[in-house]
Amino acid sequence: MSEALLEVRGLNVVFSGFHALTDLDFTLRRGELRFLIGPNGAGKTTLIDVITGLTRPASGSVRFDGRELVGRREHRIVRAGVGRTFQTSVVFEELSVVDNLDLAAGFRRPLPALLRRRRGVSDAVAAALDTIGLGDLADRPAGVLSHGQRQWLEIGMLVVQRPRLLLLDEPVAGMSRDERDRTGELLRTVARDHTVLVVEHDMDFLRRFASTVTVLHEGRLLCQGTVAQVQADPRVQEVYLGRAKEAA
Amino acid sequence: MAPAGLAVSAVLLLVVAPLVLSPFRLDLLAKYLCYAIVAVGIALAWGRGGMLTLGQGVFFGLGGYAMGMHLKLAEAGPGKLPDFMSWSGVESLPLLWKPFANPVFTLVMVVLLPVVVAVLLGSLVFRQRVRGAYFAVLSQALAAAFVILLVGQQGLTGGTNGLTNIQHFFGLDLYDDADRRLLYLIVALVLGLAYLGVRQLAASRYGQLLVAIRDGEDRVRFLGYDPALVKTVAFAVSAALAGVAGALFVPVVGLLTPANLGVVASLELLIGVAIGGRYSLAGAVGGALLFNYAKTVFSEELPDSWLYVQGALFVVVMVWAPRGIAGLAGQLRDRWARRGPLRPVSYPAGADRPQEVST
C-alpha cells in the first residue's frame, strides 16, 4: 500500500450554526482515483472547498504531503500542488483554447516570460490539448465551446498546472451520454499519473468508472470501499441509492 | 491599432499638427495629450483590469506637484523662496521642498510617488478583495482627501491657488512659441511611448492574465496566481502614467491647482475613456482627446450648457454604446449578425454592466 498524500483529520465546518462537516477523517493515497458521493448537502463540495482554501474549517487539519493546508491562501495551495475544477466551468471566454491552457500552465513562469507574448505552443500545453481532444479548436475563443468541451478544457487547464492532486467537482453534470463516456475516458487517462478525487452524483458514471468510493452523509463519513461494497451497504442504500431508485 | 494607423497618428501628431495649428491651439492639444496619457493608464487598469479608478487625479497631482515644486524652485533661484510662500509668510524653505531643487530627484519622484501610493493602496485593498463599486468609491474618496490636504497646507502647496506662474521648463522658455512647440513634441512623444508600452503589456501573457482576472478573479486564484499582485501592478502602471502626465501638464498649462486633480477632474479623465471605449487603447486615447476638445469648444461657444452636454454624452454612451465609440463597430457587427432589433449590447464575458459600475 502506498503512503498517504492527503490526510484530513477531525475536520469541522460550521456555516452559521449548520454543521456542514462533522469530525471528518479522510485519507487519500498517492496514485489513487477516488470517488466521493453522497446526497445533496452531504458536504462533498465543502470538503473540496476546505482542501483548496476557499472555506475555513472551525477545527481540524488538512495535511497534503505532510504539509498543513488550513490557513494558507488559495493560490498558495495551488502552488503546493492541489488543483481543482468547479461545478460550473469557468474558462476565459475571450481567450483562445490554447491561451486558456497557456495561462493555466503559467504560474511557474519567470517574470520576463510573463511580460512577453506567447510564441508557439509549449510541450505541456500541446500534450494537454491532445489529452482533452480539443486540438481542432485550439485557436478558437473558449466562449464558443459547448458545455462538455468547456469541462474538458477545465480538466486540461488543471493538468497543465502539473498538480499532484486533482479535485474534480461533478465533472459530468449536465453532460450528454457521449460526453460522459469521453469524460470517463479522459478521467482514466489523467488518473494514470495523478492522484484524483472526483465528486460525483451520477450513479451510472460511478459504476462504470469508479474503483474506490467514499460516501458522505450529513457531513459525516458513512462508509468507504469498492463500488460493489458500497452498493451492498444497507446504510448507503437507505440514504443515497434507495433515494436514487425512488427518484428514478 | 494596426501599424498603418499608428504611423498615420504619429505623422498627424508630430508633423501635421505643429505645422497647421496656431500656437494657441497647439497648446490646447498639448494639454489634451496630457489627459490622453492618463487615459492610456485608465484603459489598462479599468478596461483590462476591471478596476474602476475614480481617483487618477491623485496620481496626476503627485506627479504634477513634484514637477511644479522643482520648477518653482528653479524659477525662484538658489536660496530664494517661491512667490506664494512669501505671500503666506513662510520664511525658510520647508524640508519637504528641499530635495526637489534637484532635477534628477524630481524626475524620479514624478514616477515613484504615484507608484508608491498605488502599490500601498493596491496591496491593502486588492488583498482584502475590495472590488467594483467599493473600490471606485474608495479611489474617489482618496481624490477628495488629497484636495483637502493640498488646500489645507497653504504654505507648503499654495493652497487653493496651487502653483502658478511657471515660466521655464528645463531651459525652455514657456513664453516662446518655438520652445512651446518643442514642449508639445515632448508630450506627444511621451504619449506615443506610453501607448506602445501599454500595448505591449496588454498583448503579453501578463495582459491576458489581467483580463482573465477581470472576468474571473476567483478562477485565476485557482490557477496559482495572486490576483492582488497582478492588479496592483496594473494599478501602479496606470498611476505612473498619470504622474508623468501631471508633470507634463504643469509646464504646458503653466500652473497646477487642486481643481486640476480633484473629484471632478478625476471623473472627467474617466469619462473621456468611457466615451472612446475602455476596452481599446486607441479608443481611450481618442476619447480623451475628443472629450477635452468638446469641452473646450462648448466652453467657448455655450459656456453654460457644457455640464449638461457632458452628462448627456456620458449617459448616451453608457446606454447605447457601453463599449464606447471604439466598440461601436463590433457592436454593429453583432447586431448585423443577429439581425435583431436594437437590443442590449453584449459584453465581454463577465465584464461590468453599467448598472453594476464595475466587476
Side-chain angles (χ1 to χ4, degrees):
Chain A
M1 188 186 283
S2 48
E3 55 178 314
L5 180 64
L6 181 78
E7 290 175 290
V8 175
R9 292 290 172 267
L11 198 62
N12 283 285
V13 176
V14 184
F15 296 123
S16 51
F18 171 72
H19 290 257
L21 291 174
T22 310
D23 292 329
L24 186 72
D25 291 343
F26 176 80
T27 307
L28 206 56
R29 291 188 312 277
R30 231 173 266 277
E32 220 180 330
L33 168 61
R34 178 82 66 89
F35 276 64
L36 186 62
I37 64 168
N40 281 327
K44 308 180 296 286
T45 297
T46 305
L47 177 58
I48 288 194
D49 285 351
V50 171
I51 296 170
T52 54
L54 204 57
T55 300
R56 293 229 165 171
S59 65
S61 88
V62 177
R63 295 184 80 79
F64 173 70
D65 207 11
R67 288 192 288 177
E68 182 61 51
L69 294 185
V70 171
R72 286 213 215 181
R73 294 201 289 150
E74 296 97 321
H75 70 276
R76 298 261 167 225
I77 294 176
V78 173
R79 284 169 176 240
V82 180
R84 75 172 289 182
T85 62
F86 291 84
Q87 284 178 18
T88 48
S89 62
V90 191
V91 296
F92 301 108
E93 301 192 347
E94 275 183 46
L95 300 181
S96 71
V97 170
V98 167
D99 282 334
N100 267 283
L101 289 168
D102 184 76
L103 203 61
F107 72 78
R108 289 188 186 83
R109 258 186 217 120
L111 190 63
L114 197 62
L115 292 178
R116 281 200 299 269
R117 284 168 202 246
R118 174 176 67 81
R119 297 195 200 289
V121 177
S122 70
D123 293 346
V125 169
L129 258 182
D130 192 44
T131 308
I132 61 177
L134 294 181
D136 296 342
L137 296 164
D139 293 314
R140 303 273 290 150
V144 306
L145 298 183
S146 72
H147 171 71
Q149 289 167 333
R150 279 170 189 242
Q151 282 288 5
W152 300 329
L153 176 55
E154 279 242 31
I155 293 174
M157 285 165 76
L158 206 52
V159 171
V160 291
Q161 290 173 22
R162 287 189 278 133
R164 283 178 293 159
L165 170 63
L166 277 74
L167 308 170
L168 306 179
D169 200 354
E170 301 197 19
V172 300
M175 280 191 180
S176 71
R177 174 104 200 170
D178 275 358
E179 287 175 329
R180 278 164 206 240
D181 290 349
R182 281 194 62 181
T183 308
E185 292 306 322
L186 179 56
L187 203 59
R188 277 187 183 149
T189 312
V190 169
R192 247 179 258 146
D193 35 28
H194 294 90
T195 309
V196 184
L197 176 65
V198 187
V199 167
E200 196 41 77
H201 259 315
D202 187 282
M203 293 310 296
D204 179 49
F205 186 76
L206 186 83
R207 284 185 205 104
R208 293 177 49 211
F209 294 100
S211 47
T212 29
V213 180
T214 297
V215 187
L216 289 187
H217 178 55
E218 290 175 355
R220 292 169 192 274
L221 193 90
L222 195 67
C223 71
Q224 240 166 201
T226 64
V227 179
Q229 285 169 343
V230 166
Q231 276 185 300
D233 193 312
R235 289 172 303 169
V236 176
Q237 287 174 359
E238 190 189 328
V239 306
Y240 193 91
L241 301 175
R243 265 196 244 172
K245 267 179 203 154
E246 279 163 33
Chain B
M1 214 194 304
L6 270 178
V8 170
S9 310
V11 170
L12 277 178
L13 280 182
L14 295 175
V15 181
V16 178
L19 288 175
V20 173
L21 295 180
S22 69
F24 173 69
R25 291 289 162 192
L26 197 64
D27 274 356
L28 284 177
L29 183 56
K31 186 169 87 170
Y32 306 157
L33 293 184
C34 292
Y35 291 133
I37 296 172
V38 184
V40 171
I42 294 180
L44 180 73
W46 185 32
R48 307 286 160 146
M51 291 166 267
L52 180 55
T53 157
L54 297 182
Q56 288 305 87
V58 173
F59 307 123
F60 188 82
L62 286 171
Y65 272 90
M67 179 59 75
M69 284 157 78
H70 173 69
L71 296 182
K72 289 304 284 180
L73 284 176
E75 208 90 28
K80 297 221 180 76
L81 288 180
D83 48 14
F84 75 89
M85 284 192 188
S86 358
W87 308 333
S88 313
V90 177
E91 280 167 7
S92 65
L93 193 64
L95 201 61
L96 178 68
W97 275 68
K98 282 186 178 149
F100 285 93
N102 182 324
V104 177
F105 177 84
T106 302
L107 290 178
V108 170
M109 281 302 129
V110 159
V111 175
L112 200 61
L113 282 177
V115 166
V116 167
V117 172
V119 168
L120 281 179
L121 185 73
S123 45
L124 279 175
V125 164
F126 299 139
R127 184 165 283 222
Q128 295 304 315
R129 301 184 191 175
V130 175
R131 280 180 256 183
Y134 299 99
F135 173 72
V137 169
L138 199 80
S139 62
Q140 188 167 51
L142 196 67
F146 188 49
V147 168
I148 292 169
L149 185 74
L150 288 173
V151 171
Q153 300 293 321
Q154 178 143 0
L156 214 52
T157 63
T160 322
N161 295 329
L163 308 175
T164 54
N165 199 23
I166 286 159
Q167 300 167 15
H168 295 87
F169 177 66
F170 291 93
L172 293 183
D173 180 355
L174 297 178
Y175 283 86
D176 178 81
D177 284 347
D179 279 11
R180 292 202 64 92
R181 201 173 302 136
L182 199 56
L183 177 63
Y184 163 84
L185 288 174
I186 293 171
V187 177
L189 277 176
V190 170
L191 172 62
L193 289 177
Y195 181 90
L196 290 175
V198 169
R199 193 172 81 134
Q200 172 66 30
L201 193 63
S204 71
R205 283 174 165 132
Y206 170 83
Q208 289 187 332
L209 190 59
L210 192 61
V211 171
I213 287 172
R214 179 193 74 193
D215 294 348
E217 182 164 336
D218 293 323
R219 183 68 185 88
V220 171
R221 202 166 273 131
F222 287 102
L223 296 181
Y225 299 98
D226 182 4
L229 187 66
V230 176
K231 287 166 83 170
T232 302
V233 169
F235 190 47
V237 170
S238 83
L241 289 175
V244 170
L248 291 170
F249 180 90
V250 173
V252 165
V253 178
L255 53 78
L256 186 67
T257 75
N260 295 128
L261 45 95
V263 170
V264 175
S266 297
L267 280 176
E268 286 183 349
L269 290 169
L270 193 93
I271 293 177
V273 176
I275 289 173
R278 64 183 183 273
Y279 300 120
S280 148
L281 275 188
V285 169
L289 297 182
L290 193 72
F291 174 81
N292 285 291
Y293 175 68
K295 186 179 171 185
T296 306
V297 170
F298 276 96
S299 314
E300 282 171 359
E301 306 292 333
L302 304 159
D304 297 332
S305 64
W306 163 243
L307 276 179
Y308 298 101
V309 173
Q310 176 183 313
L313 209 60
F314 188 59
V315 170
V316 165
V317 166
M318 280 294 120
V319 172
W320 281 290
R323 282 185 273 170
I325 295 168
L328 273 178
Q331 209 175 311
L332 289 175
R333 211 167 39 232
D334 289 356
R335 220 185 126 194
W336 182 250
R338 292 195 187 102
R339 301 267 177 121
L342 190 62
R343 36 170 290 146
V345 189
S346 61
Y347 299 81
D352 37 335
R353 274 68 173 162
Q355 69 269 26
E356 294 170 3
V357 185
S358 170
T359 17

